[in-house]
Amino acid sequence: VGSEMCIRDRFKAGHKNIDKIVHWYLCESDSYDCVPQKEEFFYDAGYYKYHEAYHLLEYPNEKQILSDAYTMYRQLRKEGNW
């Protein structure tokens, strides 16, 4: 079971315009074991309750993505599709 959200973003870095597409996935796992990929500069990995995750996020767009994903999850559960 899973769903994907695609976020397009455009911003400036110095004098350079940056166009970015970020893919977010709403999915489930059979295990809570997490290992951060240090070679990709991840220093932590884990599973969090919605309110815990929300307060760990720094940027408003990340909080909006989490909120949208949680709404999507609740709708899927209500429909019996999760």
Side-chain angles (χ1 to χ4, degrees):
V1 175
S3 295
E4 177 185 6
M5 299 174 89
C6 181
I7 307 297
R8 296 180 189 275
D9 194 12
R10 172 175 274 177
F11 59 94
K12 275 191 168 262
H15 297 292
K16 196 174 187 181
N17 288 323
I18 307 292
D19 291 314
K20 179 171 87 170
I21 298 174
V22 179
H23 296 269
W24 294 78
Y25 298 91
L26 176 64
C27 49
E28 66 182 349
S29 175
D30 295 332
S31 169
Y32 289 108
D33 295 330
C34 295
V35 178
Q37 294 176 302
K38 295 188 189 306
E39 64 276 7
E40 295 195 24
F41 307 103
F42 287 97
Y43 61 90
D44 188 19
Y47 289 89
Y48 301 93
K49 294 179 180 177
Y50 172 79
H51 69 277
E52 294 169 333
Y54 189 87
H55 292 293
L56 289 171
L57 298 174
E58 184 174 343
Y59 300 104
N61 64 331
E62 293 174 322
K63 291 181 178 191
Q64 186 62 55
I65 290 165
L66 178 63
S67 178
D68 292 348
Y70 188 59
T71 299
M72 182 185 298
Y73 163 75
R74 289 178 48 200
Q75 185 63 36
L76 288 168
R77 281 196 57 120
K78 181 179 177 181
E79 295 169 354
N81 294 322
W82 190 276

